[in-house]
Amino acid sequence: MNIGAKIKELRISKGLTQAQLSGDRITRNMLSCIESEKAMPSLDTLLYLAERLSVPPSYLLSDNDDLFFYEKNEKISDIRNLFSEKKYEACIKRVTDIGKTDDELSFILCCCYFELGKDSVMRGSLTTGKSMLKLCSEYAKKTIYDTSMLLALTALYSSIAENIQSPLLEFDSDFYEQTIRHNADLEFYKYVIQDYSFNFSNEIYKMHIGAKELIKNRRYAEAIVDLIEIEKTKNADTYNSYVLFSVYGDLERCFRQLGDFENAYRYASKKLSLLDAFKT
């Protein structure tokens, strides 16, 4: 496709008239001549039209008709930088602005949607998290890159988003353990399945598992001390909705077993408030 034909095709695809594309730099008649190959644009005119059409000038000059190649080549450095800086939402926008994906871009989108989905689940926005994790799975199918670990992680966090009260009912633990043996999220998984033999480095997980052991041994008053200490550590950086929900449930149980129904009701109410917030 020649320069004029490319300009005409792009103009029509963007719903622009010749007058709108011409703007105040060239006449409509000149643009008509360029599109019909009766005239060649000067370098300044070419750069002007490329900017107006939001395409790289090299695309108009090349014999290659695949615009995607040029758009990706122009934006890929910015996309990679945003990804490495963990600016996932901005990274997604840059990729989707191109309009198409290839294996690399699909893998980047898969990773971005996973990170956003995981963060949403951990912060209690379960509906948003579920939606993001679904997109992660969809883009995993569009790339030849190895996404087995991401899919295993997606299964873990999706199970929590699907059923935060009993996530293991939604979860294929065999698939997860076979895929992720040395990943940082393995510790969170061991916490979810309450593996009392696991050597936790995360102090919150370690303390809560210890409190659960005290509950098993009916040492409810001692467990309450640790559980309230965990609740006090909640802050914007360490917030984990699943941990907090579990802690509230254990506190409700402990106070109920001790006959302190006022505090049992208080923590049951906190659980219900979280459940309501999880709908976001």
Side-chain angles (χ1 to χ4, degrees):
M1 192 184 298
N2 54 42
I3 293 176
K6 285 182 178 179
I7 291 171
K8 183 177 181 179
E9 182 182 81
L10 287 165
R11 175 179 63 76
I12 293 172
S13 71
K14 294 177 182 295
L16 298 173
T17 65
Q18 287 184 333
Q20 288 172 325
L21 178 57
S22 298
D24 57 4
R25 287 279 293 274
I26 62 174
T27 66
R28 190 196 66 78
N29 286 337
M30 174 56 73
L31 177 59
S32 179
C33 289
I34 292 171
E35 288 187 351
S36 61
E37 293 295 308
K38 294 177 182 176
M40 285 293 290
S42 66
L43 180 57
D44 285 345
T45 299
L46 182 76
L47 294 174
Y48 170 72
L49 291 174
E51 182 180 4
R52 299 273 289 174
L53 293 167
S54 301
V55 296
S58 56
Y59 169 69
L60 298 179
L61 291 168
S62 171
D63 293 331
N64 193 329
D65 294 337
D66 188 359
L67 179 57
F68 169 75
F69 171 81
Y70 293 94
E71 290 189 324
K72 179 187 174 182
N73 191 54
E74 184 180 61
K75 296 177 180 178
I76 191 62
S77 178
D78 189 30
I79 289 169
R80 289 169 178 162
N81 287 337
L82 288 169
F83 183 76
S84 66
E85 293 168 6
K86 300 183 179 180
K87 297 178 180 178
Y88 300 119
E89 291 181 346
C91 185
I92 289 170
K93 186 177 186 310
R94 290 290 194 283
V95 174
T96 53
D97 281 347
I98 296 175
K100 290 173 59 179
T101 62
D102 58 6
D103 287 315
E104 180 184 14
L105 294 182
S106 292
F107 183 72
I108 288 173
L109 286 175
C110 178
C111 295
C112 287
Y113 280 120
F114 168 74
E115 294 296 342
L116 292 174
K118 171 184 172 181
D119 184 66
S120 293
V121 170
M122 298 299 262
R123 294 185 179 278
S125 296
L126 301 190
T127 301
T128 300
K130 192 159 39 172
S131 174
M132 294 290 179
L133 293 169
K134 183 179 179 182
L135 286 167
C136 169
S137 296
E138 288 176 3
Y139 279 103
K141 298 173 185 176
K142 298 178 181 181
T143 179
I144 61 171
Y145 292 3
D146 183 7
T147 58
S148 56
M149 183 174 291
L150 274 175
L151 289 174
L153 290 168
T154 296
L156 172 62
Y157 292 100
S158 293
S159 69
I160 293 171
E162 197 68 44
N163 186 353
I164 195 166
Q165 299 188 76
S166 302
L168 295 182
L169 293 176
E170 315 289 339
F171 186 60
D172 183 351
S173 58
D174 290 338
F175 168 68
Y176 183 88
E177 290 197 11
Q178 288 170 9
T179 307
I180 300 178
R181 296 188 178 279
H182 305 291
N183 186 275
D185 291 80
L186 179 62
E187 185 163 11
F188 177 62
Y189 164 69
K190 291 294 187 182
Y191 166 75
V192 171
I193 66 171
Q194 299 177 28
D195 186 344
Y196 295 100
S197 65
F198 188 77
N199 184 25
F200 290 96
S201 60
N202 183 298
E203 291 300 321
I204 298 299
Y205 298 165
K206 182 189 295 185
M207 189 182 297
H208 195 186
I209 291 296
K212 285 183 176 296
E213 285 194 285
L214 292 172
I215 292 170
K216 281 177 61 179
N217 294 318
R218 301 182 181 181
R219 295 161 62 183
Y220 303 116
E222 294 175 61
I224 286 171
V225 174
D226 288 343
L227 292 168
I228 289 177
E229 184 62 30
I230 293 171
E231 183 185 18
K232 289 178 181 177
T233 65
K234 182 185 72 171
N235 60 58
D237 294 327
T238 63
Y239 182 79
N240 181 320
S241 64
Y242 180 75
V243 171
L244 193 60
F245 184 79
S246 300
V247 166
Y248 286 163
D250 287 338
L251 281 167
E252 177 196 358
R253 178 185 175 189
C254 288
F255 281 118
R256 189 172 64 249
Q257 291 293 331
L258 293 174
D260 186 344
F261 297 109
E262 182 179 348
N263 273 315
Y265 176 77
R266 183 158 67 93
Y267 282 103
S269 297
K270 288 189 175 188
K271 270 184 65 179
L272 288 173
S273 294
L274 274 183
L275 278 174
D276 191 52
F278 291 156
K279 296 175 183 177
T280 59

